[in-house]
Amino acid sequence: MSGLRSWIARRLLLGVAQTVAVVLLVFVLTEALPGDAAVAFAGDQPDPERIAAVREAMGLDRPAHIRLGEWVGGLLHGDFGTSLASGRPVSGFLADGFGPTVLLATVTVLLLVPVGVGLGVLAARREGRFTDRLISSVTLGVYAVPEFALGVLLVTVFALRLGWFPPTAVGYGTDLLAHPAALVLPVLVLLARPVCSLSRLVRAGMIDALAAPYTAHAQRYGIPGFRVRYAHALPNALAPATQQLARTVDWLLCGVVVVEALFVIPGLGTVLMNAVADRDIPVVQGLAVVFGLATVVLNLGADLVTHRLAPRSGVAA
């Protein structure tokens, strides 16, 4: 138990260090963005006095280290700053886009786990046979298709030609749960590549686990094959797949910009694109910090689950 606590403490300290690095990196990168927000907000034909007044109003005339200190102090109190374009709190933009993005991520993950794990286990049990070759070929082919191309194909076939689903989420607002038909095509696009990668990882892990000495030892003791496969082999096969699942959830929560833009979904990706177009630096910084923290937390959680499933595997070391 003390070893587990020591490992958790090390991972938490690493997470804190990663969080600090994320905050500093976000500030440095946004400072390095080309152009000047004051010039953009000063009008079409700004004069130097107007630009200077706007910079002073935005606080851009102060040294970078002072602005960094004020920004970090605000983050510690849950204050992400104020939008330069609208004057709204950045937390309001996060709240607006959080719901649609989380809904898409949740539905995708709820389908991803059973489908991806099920296909991987099925392919492993039929290793070398037609079913295994079919699943491997289809998943490899689907994984090679970019999200944008797959989305355009699905919209063309199922929305424009067949008329089964709406082509975009325009008119539905942020309450997409009340209009499930608008979720079908975006979820299929989001689901396609993660299912392929997860199923292939589970297949490889399951084949290795079934060929391991402990599996043969369990079979010699007369343990039923179902229990050997799903109580002993599957947890070890899921250890590396857990890391992939964490990366997938991180990818989903951090705003899938292409999918949200294609289907006009008002999620965090759309908020980020609008903020970049408007050079709304506080909104960009706030979103980047949220995305970075999500990555740190999800990877910590994945390491803990991996350590629990296969403590001797070294995956989460």
Side-chain angles (χ1 to χ4, degrees):
M1 182 61 70
S2 60
L4 177 61
R5 290 177 179 175
S6 175
W7 179 84
I8 292 176
R10 291 198 304 270
R11 294 300 295 140
L12 289 176
L13 288 175
L14 179 60
V16 172
Q18 290 172 335
T19 301
V20 173
V22 165
V23 172
L24 293 176
L25 185 62
V26 166
F27 185 84
V28 171
L29 291 179
T30 51
E31 284 290 306
L33 287 175
D36 193 327
V39 175
F41 283 98
D44 296 333
Q45 296 179 340
D47 58 81
E49 294 182 359
R50 172 63 175 164
I51 294 176
V54 173
R55 289 183 61 83
E56 183 178 358
M58 291 181 174
L60 299 177
D61 57 335
R62 290 174 294 173
H65 67 277
I66 295 178
R67 287 184 283 116
L68 173 62
E70 293 178 350
W71 182 55
V72 172
L75 291 177
L76 294 176
H77 293 86
D79 181 10
F80 288 88
T82 303
S83 167
L84 298 179
S86 65
R88 290 180 59 199
V90 174
S91 56
F93 288 90
L94 298 178
D96 291 342
F98 190 73
T101 298
V102 170
L103 176 61
L104 284 174
T106 301
V107 175
T108 303
V109 171
L110 289 177
L111 295 173
L112 169 63
V113 174
V115 174
V117 174
L119 287 176
V121 171
L122 179 62
R125 291 193 60 189
R126 301 290 190 271
E127 181 186 4
R129 302 178 187 176
F130 173 75
T131 303
D132 179 27
R133 292 196 296 269
L134 177 63
I135 293 176
S136 299
S137 300
V138 171
T139 53
L140 181 61
V142 172
Y143 189 84
V145 180
E147 288 88 356
F148 182 80
L150 180 60
V152 171
L153 177 63
L154 292 179
V155 168
T156 302
V157 174
F158 294 103
L160 301 181
R161 290 186 178 272
L162 299 177
W164 291 357
F165 307 106
T168 67
V170 173
Y172 298 130
T174 58
D175 188 15
L176 297 179
L177 191 59
H179 306 87
L183 294 172
V184 175
L185 296 183
V187 168
L188 286 178
V189 176
L190 293 176
L191 194 62
R193 299 189 76 184
V195 160
C196 298
S197 58
L198 183 63
S199 63
R200 293 174 71 85
L201 275 174
V202 172
R203 174 191 178 276
M206 194 75 174
I207 291 174
D208 290 341
L210 290 174
Y214 70 83
T215 303
H217 189 67
Q219 291 173 339
R220 284 195 297 268
Y221 272 87
I223 298 177
F226 180 87
R227 184 178 175 185
V228 171
R229 287 192 297 270
Y230 298 106
H232 298 279
L234 185 57
N236 286 278
L238 289 179
T242 302
Q243 300 288 331
Q244 176 63 32
L245 183 61
R247 288 191 291 269
T248 301
V249 176
D250 177 39
W251 174 66
L252 293 169
L253 286 179
C254 292
V256 185
V257 177
V258 172
V259 174
E260 291 186 355
L262 178 62
F263 293 98
V264 198
I265 296 173
L268 292 178
T270 302
V271 173
L272 178 60
M273 287 191 301
N274 294 336
V276 171
D278 296 337
R279 285 202 50 82
D280 202 343
I281 302 300
V283 177
V284 175
Q285 289 177 328
L287 286 167
V289 168
V290 170
F291 294 162
L293 290 178
T295 301
V296 172
V297 171
L298 286 169
N299 279 281
L300 284 174
D303 285 349
L304 182 59
V305 173
T306 303
H307 190 79
R308 178 66 180 87
L309 288 173
R312 293 187 298 272
S313 67
V315 176

